[in-house]
Every structure is written in C-alpha cells, then in structure tokens.
Amino acid sequence: MIIVEGIGHVNIPVSQLDASIEFYQDVFDFELESKKATEALLTLDSFKIRLVQSPQAGVETGYPVLSFIMDVDDFTEAISELEEKNVKIVRGPESYENGESLTFSDPNQNLLEIYYEN
C-alpha cells in the first residue's frame, strides 16, 4: 500500500485561463494563490485546484471533474445564485441517493456538481 498524506491539488484543463479564474473565484470563493502564463493555483480552505491551459479543455466525459457537498439550504441558495450568474445548468436538480444533485459547467464546459445528502 502506498501511504499518502492527502491530495495536493486537482488539475482542471481550461482553454480560457482568466475567465476560469474569475469563475471559480466568483462562484465558489476560491482564492488565487499563484498564476503563471499557462496555469493558476487556487485554494478554498485547504483544498487546491490547478487550472491548466490544455487542448483537452472541454472534452465531454459525462462526469463532473469536481463535486461539492453542501447542506440543503445552501444547495437551494446555490441554484438561485448559479441562475443569476447565467451559469449553464446541464442536469438537475435531480434526486441523488439520499438527497439531490445539480450538474453545471464552467466556462470550458468542464462539468461540476453540487449536492446534499439527508
């Protein structure tokens, strides 16, 4: 078994670096930790994502690249906020195991999910 101490970061392919930085800051309150010509590291508490310019950005996999859990009240408010920001909702809200989920896309068509469990 390989023993790890945690996840350093998750890479997300993007074609529009600045628009993607703005999206993740505006929608999820990520903070920009560092930025280079073709990548940016953003943090949300101890969780990190690295946005990387890539020709593979927007390739549809059918699965969210990130999934955020929240409570039911925040879930309902998040849907309203996404609609106000004209974020493209791809699927949902729909029943999900013991709660609901909503799938939407970032500016590069990467799928993201928010959900809650009862």
Side-chain angles (χ1 to χ4, degrees):
M1 171 188 311
I2 297 173
I3 299 172
V4 299
E5 294 182 7
I7 296 174
H9 63 271
V10 174
N11 291 321
I12 300 176
V14 301
S15 60
Q16 306 168 40
L17 185 59
D18 289 332
S20 298
I21 292 168
E22 184 178 327
F23 175 86
Y24 284 93
Q25 287 178 318
D26 188 39
V27 173
F28 295 109
D29 203 29
F30 274 90
E31 293 183 17
L32 181 63
E33 185 172 301
S34 64
K35 181 181 175 194
K36 298 178 183 174
T38 60
E39 65 183 58
L41 188 65
L42 289 85
T43 61
L44 180 65
D45 298 324
S46 62
F47 183 68
K48 295 182 182 189
I49 60 174
R50 186 172 74 166
L51 306 176
V52 183
Q53 284 192 317
S54 168
Q56 297 299 315
V59 173
E60 177 63 51
T61 64
Y63 295 98
V65 296
L66 288 177
S67 184
F68 297 92
I69 190 166
M70 49 189 21
D71 70 34
V72 64
D73 294 330
D74 291 336
F75 179 82
T76 303
E77 289 177 23
I79 294 171
S80 296
E81 186 171 334
L82 292 169
E83 290 171 342
E84 289 171 14
K85 295 177 186 286
N86 295 314
V87 173
K88 180 182 174 189
I89 295 175
V90 176
R91 192 171 47 250
E94 59 188 5
S95 294
Y96 170 81
E97 296 177 9
N98 296 325
E100 285 185 289
S101 72
L102 180 86
T103 304
F104 54 99
S105 61
D106 73 4
N108 304 282
Q109 306 313 306
N110 291 307
L111 297 180
L112 306 170
E113 176 186 47
I114 56 173
Y115 73 98
Y116 72 89
E117 296 175 342
N118 292 322

